[in-house]
């Protein structure tokens, strides 16, 4: 009976585990060094969109949105999915050209995305200041979800299919033989001030779980874990901050994203305005601490974009890590050695929305061992081959 | 207390919802927060964190845990005020 150990119980790990079980893999163990929702999957903006610049992303995200639409029924949990669209805008001529090219490509892929003229922009978000806006695009099918129930939904559905989800269990090493991973060294941990130190406290002796396959879904921590196997990954953690306001009556339809300064904001089904902005430079490594600089930068950008937001109060801010790759595309699929290791990391700032479709594809890849064109294109060895797949619709 | 007692009034989290989270095996306060949503509303936990921590201690028989990670700002601040502040340094 093959046994798959999935490292990381974020959205990618849980979606993969659920789909493995659905495909009949009976023995799946998912471990996470802390509580569920402790990584990026519990800290993100819940944005779900198909407006991308690469055909691969556009086609995958169309499918993911389909899955999101049925998720509540399939998982029996309310994920607060709301399709209010994504409204991208830019204040530079260069980005305006990008946006037009991207919209044309999205249309060829069957998306109804369109460029907006100023009057349409005003109609969709009357409160938005159009000062300096050079171009805007809109896809009505994009939307937002509330990430937490999404995680719990996958976790519960996976458990119902026999998957073991073991939080507070840290991967500290591997046992290998003949170019394969034969065991994963695990150590129990306990609740620790994660955000302040990025360290977990040990709560017991290390032990080994034997495995036939390993899937590495540890997001921003993946390079550190791969290094335990002598494998060098090119992705890097990059702190990204976000905040939420007091709840307001529903007034904002789409998620608005400004490609010029990285400002984005949307209204959740709970009424809060959730958003962030690009802030550089950020501290090295995994860092999940909030800064005042973020809050003041965000406030300036948001009040400029929507002047009436000046009176609205911020309730809470927090931080997580993007998992950045050199070309903006993820790193997925089996590696040459260890031959039973599958990577699923490097999902930038849009891995939450990718997980529903990637979980299916990863499970298929692990079970059949077959490499579809996607896994060839997004595999680790593309960096050695120099065949990068650039994505330019990155927020923040 | 009855099962329908409100533990977190901002986010409408009842006692039985927190008990359900504990029954589902979530025995630390950060998991219970993320499972039920308690403490994430207008008052940011002023009303409910203590009650949940106590319940958790009773059910698990362990000493109460550290409070949930506090999220700045300390109290709600208008965006217009934040926009007028300096604060370009890290921290
Ligand atoms: C502020 C912010 C906003 C974002 N907004 C969006 C958005 O709107 N839409 C979108 O789609 N995406 C968004 N993202 C990106 C998205 O959150 C991530 O791409 C996605 O959650 C990645 O999921 P994951 O499962 O790969 O990683 P994670 O959720 O980070 O999971 C990795 C897990 O690995 C665990 N781990 C680490 N080390 C070990 C170890 N040694 N042993 C065991 N376990 C370990 C961690 O505890 C963690 O739970 C945003 C991210 C941030 C930070």
């Amino acid at each position: 009976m093959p046994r798959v150990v999935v490292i990381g119980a974020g959205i990618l790990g849980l979606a993969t585990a659920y789909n493995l079980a659905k495909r009949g893999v009976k023995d799946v163990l998912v471990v996470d060094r802390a509580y569920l929702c402790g990584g990026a999957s519990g800290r993100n903006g819940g944005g779900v969109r198909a407006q991308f610049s690469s055909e691969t992303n556009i086609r995958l995200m169309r499918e993911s949105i389909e899955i999101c639409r049925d998720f509540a029924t399939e998982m029996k949990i309310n994920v607060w999915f709301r399709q209010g669209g994504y409204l991208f805008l830019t204040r530079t001529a260069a980005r305006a050209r990008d946006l037009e090219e991207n919209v044309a490509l999205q249309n060829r892929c069957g998306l109804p995305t369109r460029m907006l003229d100023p009057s349409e922009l005003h109609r969709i978000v009357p409160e938005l200041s159009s000062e300096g806006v050079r171009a805007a695009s809109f896809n009505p099918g994009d939307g937002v979800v509330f990430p937490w129930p999404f995680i719990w939904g996958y976790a519960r559905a996976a458990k119902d299919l026999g998957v073991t989800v073991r939080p507070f269990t840290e991967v500290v090493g591997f046992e290998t033989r003949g170019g394969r991973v034969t065991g994963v060294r695990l150590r129990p941990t306990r609740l620790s001030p994660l955000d302040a130190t990025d360290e977990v406290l040990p709560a017991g002796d290390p032990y080994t779980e034997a495995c036939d396959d390993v899937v590495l879904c540890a997001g921003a921590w993946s390079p550190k874990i791969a290094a335990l196997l002598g494998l060098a990954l090119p992705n890097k953690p990059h702190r990204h901050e976000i905040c939420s306001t007091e709840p307001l009556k529903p007034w904002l339809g789409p998620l608005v994203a400004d490609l010029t300064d990285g400002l984005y904001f949307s209204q959740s089904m709970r009424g809060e305005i959730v958003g962030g902005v690009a802030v550089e430079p950020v501290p090295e490594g995994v860092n999940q601490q909030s800064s005042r600089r973020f809050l003041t930068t965000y406030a300036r950008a948001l009040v400029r974009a929507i002047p009436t937001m000046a009176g609205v109060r911020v309730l809470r801010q927090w931080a997580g890590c993007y998992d950045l790759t050199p070309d903006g595309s993820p790193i997925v699929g089996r590696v040459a050695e260890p031959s039973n290791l599958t990577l699923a990391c490097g999902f930038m700032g849009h891995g939450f929305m990718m997980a529903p479709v990637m979980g299916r594809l990863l499970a298929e890849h692990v079970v059949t061992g077959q490499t579809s064109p996607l896994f060839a294109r997004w595999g680790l060895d593309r960096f050695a081959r120099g065949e990068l797949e650039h994505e330019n619709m990155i927020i923040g | 207390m009855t099962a329908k007692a409100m533990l977190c009034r901002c986010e409408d989290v009842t006692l039985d919802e927190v008990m359900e989270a504990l029954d589902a095996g979530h025995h630390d306060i950060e998991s219970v927060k993320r499972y039920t949503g308690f403490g994430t509303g207008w008052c940011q936990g002023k009303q409910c964190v203590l009650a949940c921590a106590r319940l958790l201690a009773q059910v698990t028989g362990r000493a109460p845990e550290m409070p949930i990670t506090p999220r700045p700002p300390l109290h709600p601040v208008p965006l217009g005020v934040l926009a007028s502040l300096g604060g370009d340094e890290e921290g």
Side-chain angles (χ1 to χ4, degrees):
Chain A
M1 172 72 64
R3 162 178 245 202
V4 185
V5 174
V6 178
I7 303 173
I11 190 82
L12 257 310
L14 291 171
T16 304
Y18 167 71
N19 282 287
L20 281 169
K22 247 178 109 172
R23 284 183 148 266
V25 182
K26 292 277 178 290
D27 196 356
V28 182
L29 169 65
V30 189
V31 295
D32 198 290
R33 66 172 196 153
Y35 43 86
L36 266 58
C37 305
S41 301
R43 299 166 183 270
N44 67 83
V48 177
R49 60 169 160 122
Q51 289 188 68
F52 279 94
S53 74
S54 87
E55 187 165 342
T56 315
N57 275 326
I58 298 168
R59 292 197 185 279
L60 286 173
M61 276 311 304
R62 271 189 67 173
E63 219 175 310
S64 235
I65 292 174
E66 290 297 318
I67 303 174
C68 286
R69 213 177 278 154
D70 298 334
F71 193 88
T73 320
E74 187 177 344
M75 302 296 182
K76 300 183 182 58
I77 195 161
N78 181 5
V79 290
W80 309 84
F81 183 42
R82 184 173 71 80
Q83 286 177 292
Y86 254 59
L87 196 164
F88 276 101
L89 54 90
T90 173
R91 298 168 203 274
T92 69
R95 293 300 269 159
R97 268 193 308 278
D98 283 347
L99 213 51
E100 269 171 32
E101 277 172 24
N102 295 344
V103 169
L105 175 63
Q106 289 158 22
N107 291 160
R108 286 200 295 279
C109 295
L111 284 192
T113 319
R114 60 181 195 273
M115 299 300 292
L116 298 179
D117 61 31
S119 70
E120 239 190 324
L121 183 64
H122 182 76
R123 194 176 50 73
I124 295 174
V125 188
E127 298 81 0
L128 184 69
S129 155
S130 56
E131 201 190 311
V133 173
R134 298 291 290 260
S137 68
F138 183 67
N139 174 26
D142 296 342
V144 288
V145 298
F146 183 23
W148 288 353
F150 227 97
I151 290 284
W152 299 120
Y154 269 128
R156 190 174 58 198
K159 283 183 203 165
D160 287 349
L161 293 175
V163 171
T164 306
V165 180
R166 200 178 292 165
F168 294 104
T169 302
E170 183 184 24
V171 173
V172 291
F174 294 94
E175 289 170 8
T176 58
R177 197 179 330 120
R180 293 173 62 82
V181 184
T182 52
V184 183
R185 291 287 286 168
L186 300 170
R187 181 170 63 183
T189 68
R190 59 197 162 92
L191 194 62
S192 32
L194 260 194
D195 295 14
T197 62
D198 191 47
E199 270 167 24
V200 287
L201 303 170
D205 294 329
Y207 58 96
T208 300
E209 289 281 6
C211 61
D212 299 291
D213 262 295
V214 178
V215 190
L216 181 56
C217 301
W221 294 268
S222 300
K224 223 167 144 177
I225 296 172
L228 297 172
L229 284 162
L231 190 66
L233 299 185
N235 43 330
K236 288 208 164 49
H238 189 274
R239 181 176 76 184
H240 194 84
E241 296 182 73
I242 182 166
C243 66
S244 133
T245 68
E246 58 193 320
L248 306 173
K249 289 175 215 171
W251 62 274
L252 177 64
L255 184 148
V256 178
D258 185 338
L259 290 165
T260 326
D261 58 3
L263 170 74
Y264 68 94
F265 53 93
S266 68
Q267 185 166 29
S268 75
M269 288 281 274
R270 311 198 305 174
E272 315 137 320
I273 303 300
V274 178
V277 71
V279 176
E280 294 286 350
V282 297
E284 275 283 297
V286 173
N287 181 303
Q288 304 194 114
Q289 284 189 285
S290 300
S291 75
R292 202 175 84 172
R293 185 163 63 136
F294 160 75
L295 208 53
T296 53
T297 310
Y298 174 73
R300 276 195 294 272
L302 183 55
V303 171
R304 177 174 83 149
I306 310 263
T308 50
M309 282 295 288
V312 175
R313 283 168 286 202
V314 173
L315 286 192
R316 48 195 285 105
Q317 67 173 129
W318 66 96
C321 278
Y322 276 17
D323 178 10
L324 298 187
T325 60
D327 59 357
S329 293
I331 305 172
V332 295
R334 286 182 186 275
V335 298
E337 194 178 328
S339 58
N340 57 344
L341 173 69
T342 299
L343 300 176
C345 58
F347 279 91
M348 305 291 297
H350 51 260
F352 200 89
M353 61 178 90
M354 288 256 140
V357 66
M358 286 311 301
R360 281 189 187 173
L361 297 173
L362 281 158
E364 182 184 291
H365 181 65
V366 170
V367 169
T368 66
Q370 273 162 16
T371 298
S372 64
L374 173 70
F375 289 94
R377 208 173 309 137
W378 279 358
L380 177 63
D381 54 6
R382 76 175 184 273
F383 296 100
R385 290 199 314 267
E387 288 169 15
L388 304 188
E389 172 135 317
H390 291 283
E391 170 58 56
N392 68 28
M393 296 281 279
I394 303 292
I395 301 178
Chain B
M1 274 200 285
T2 72
K4 285 287 171 212
M6 275 294 174
L7 274 195
C8 169
R9 278 189 278 173
C10 307
E11 294 297 315
D12 286 351
V13 181
T14 59
L15 176 62
D16 59 352
E17 283 169 325
V18 174
M19 291 309 288
E20 193 223 306
L22 296 172
D23 287 345
H26 304 300
H27 285 176
D28 68 285
I29 197 148
E30 297 284 5
S31 298
V32 177
K33 167 186 150 186
R34 286 161 180 79
Y35 193 77
T36 65
F38 90 77
T40 63
W42 220 95
C43 89
Q44 290 292 292
K46 288 189 195 78
Q47 322 251 355
C48 53
V49 170
L50 273 178
C52 289
R54 186 171 150 198
L55 210 57
L56 202 54
Q58 275 171 359
V59 170
T60 62
R62 292 196 310 251
E65 289 169 324
M66 64 180 104
I68 50 176
T69 313
R71 302 297 188 201
L74 265 183
H75 65 95
V77 185
L79 282 157
V81 172
L82 292 167
S84 69
L85 291 179
D88 280 348
E89 71 285 0
E90 171 74 20

